[in-house]
Amino acid sequence: MVWQTIKRWYHMLGSPRYFYTFSSLVLPWLTPIALVTLLTGLVWGLGFAPSDYQQGNSYRIIFIHVPASSGALMGYMALGVAGLVAVVWRMKMAEVMLKAIAPFGAALAAISLVTGALWGKPTWGTYWQWDARMTSMLILLFMYVGVIALQNVIRDPRQAARAAGLLAMVGVINVIIVKYSVEWVQTLHQGSTLKLFGESTINPAMKYPLLISMLGLWLLYAVNVLMRARTEVMWRERRSKWVAKLVTRPEKGER
Amino acid sequence: MAFESFADFLAMGKHGFYVWSAYGISAFLIIASMVLALRGQGQVRQTLARQQRRAELDAEVNDESRT
């Protein structure tokens, strides 16, 4: 039963046209929800959460650092799945997603590194050290850039998707390294205080704004992916009748 | 509110520089990515509309020359 639902979804969303209509319906709702959620979390975290007893107020960087880092990691996992589907089953929508997921993920990886450095200076006394977590995060940024670059360099979109898909799959190993780097080698970066399963060791007054900004940034990532995927779908399907009709005579509510 | 005044809020203890540059750079990158995504959408739409207009014009010219 569940399997069949998944299968139906796979086939429906696998159709570029169906995806386009579906995302037209979702975006007008998802965009404002994402923005409001993110801003709520950030304002709460920056202005209302208590200051840290050791770090004072510099810890408030956490409300963007952790959401961006987790977003970059999750985005890369999604990129790896899209890569697998694109390489093995050559599904069109997976190729589209491979292109749509990468740019915002790269931006989030960059944000993670920059905010981490700016947090490290007042806390550890250094902007950067070749610590396992930081180095693997830098590699994550390079993997994103590599996937984007491969797609831009190879002319034929289907071949580009195969190459980028392979690179995306290989890079998943690095995501696992990032995740466990703080447990395997303890150098500078602290371990996670926020746990999906089990007891978090972060103060609840800091946990809730963090969770809310995390959710908000992830939703905004979804908005960005949907927007980019729509552009890509439109370009790839440019010779089809439904795109031609959409471009010249967009019906009301259909954009 | 965790701060006494707005000036306090901006100062962030002694860490205003770090906190606000972290948020400034993040905002810039996020907004840039959203704007680029939006602009790409507009560009593809425009290109396709232009191509289509040209194709329709060509079709008309061909029709006229045939009659």
Side-chain angles (χ1 to χ4, degrees), chain B residues 12-57:
Chain B
M12 283 280 157
K14 286 170 304 202
H15 297 132
F17 166 76
Y18 302 106
V19 173
W20 295 118
S21 42
Y23 278 91
I25 294 167
S26 306
F28 172 77
L29 285 172
I30 290 170
I31 292 168
S33 183
M34 296 308 284
V35 168
L36 284 177
L38 258 180
R39 224 172 47 180
Q41 214 165 14
Q43 274 170 350
V44 164
R45 208 169 252 280
Q46 263 181 0
T47 312
L48 292 183
R50 206 182 307 126
Q51 280 178 359
Q52 210 165 350
R53 265 200 306 277
R54 198 175 303 144
E56 275 166 19
L57 276 177

Side-chain angles (χ1 to χ4, degrees), chain A:
Chain A
M1 187 59 198
V2 178
W3 179 241
Q4 266 168 356
T5 318
I6 294 173
K7 221 170 136 187
R8 211 179 66 227
W9 269 75
Y10 180 87
H11 285 293
M12 283 202 302
L13 287 177
S15 140
R17 186 179 183 178
Y18 181 85
F19 167 81
Y20 200 91
T21 324
F22 172 79
S23 58
S24 302
L25 294 174
V26 170
L27 274 176
W29 292 93
L30 193 59
T31 315
I33 290 175
L35 288 174
V36 168
T37 312
L38 179 60
L39 286 178
T40 307
L42 290 182
V43 169
W44 185 350
L46 277 170
F48 297 90
S51 45
D52 187 75
Y53 78 104
Q54 277 182 326
Q55 300 181 16
N57 287 311
S58 68
Y59 98 92
R60 291 182 198 277
I61 293 174
I62 200 177
F63 299 110
I64 189 70
H65 178 74
V66 169
S69 314
S70 59
L73 290 172
M74 285 215 321
Y76 202 94
M77 291 303 286
L79 201 67
V81 172
L84 179 75
V85 177
V87 169
V88 177
W89 293 285
R90 322 222 48 190
M91 184 194 192
K92 269 189 193 171
M93 275 313 295
E95 298 183 1
V96 169
M97 282 305 171
L98 208 47
K99 211 163 177 187
I101 293 170
F104 202 73
L108 289 186
I111 289 174
S112 165
L113 288 165
V114 171
T115 55
L118 283 164
W119 191 5
K121 185 66 184 170
T123 315
W124 301 326
T126 178
Y127 282 111
W128 183 261
Q129 200 173 64
W130 294 99
D131 154 280
R133 171 56 73 83
M134 293 170 221
T135 310
S136 53
M137 204 61 201
L138 185 64
I139 293 172
L140 184 73
L141 175 61
F142 292 158
M143 299 300 298
Y144 269 122
V145 173
V147 169
I148 297 170
L150 263 183
Q151 284 168 321
N152 288 337
V153 165
I154 302 173
R155 264 291 173 76
D156 175 42
R158 305 224 67 177
Q159 266 189 335
R162 274 175 84 82
L166 274 175
L167 184 62
M169 279 156 69
V170 172
V172 169
I173 300 164
N174 182 56
V175 174
I176 296 162
I177 295 177
V178 174
K179 174 90 177 72
Y180 291 104
S181 56
V182 281
E183 288 166 36
W184 292 338
V185 256
Q186 286 237 336
T187 45
L188 197 52
H189 197 290
Q190 67 165 69
S192 179
T193 54
L194 192 66
K195 298 216 165 50
L196 196 55
F197 305 106
E199 197 88 357
S200 294
T201 47
I202 181 173
N203 180 342
M206 301 168 176
K207 187 172 88 177
Y208 293 114
L210 180 56
L211 287 177
I212 292 170
S213 29
M214 207 142 110
L215 179 68
L217 195 61
W218 291 356
L219 291 179
L220 199 65
Y221 195 168
V223 169
N224 194 283
V225 168
L226 286 183
M227 271 163 49
R228 287 176 191 271
R230 285 160 62 80
T231 311
E232 186 63 18
V233 161
M234 197 178 225
W235 181 248
R236 281 171 175 241
E237 302 291 309
R238 61 188 178 277
R239 280 180 256 283
S240 72
K241 273 202 185 117
W242 69 271
V243 170
K245 190 163 155 264
L246 209 64
V247 170
T248 44
R249 292 173 291 273
E251 279 162 36
K252 205 169 163 255
E254 214 183 348
R255 267 175 38 79

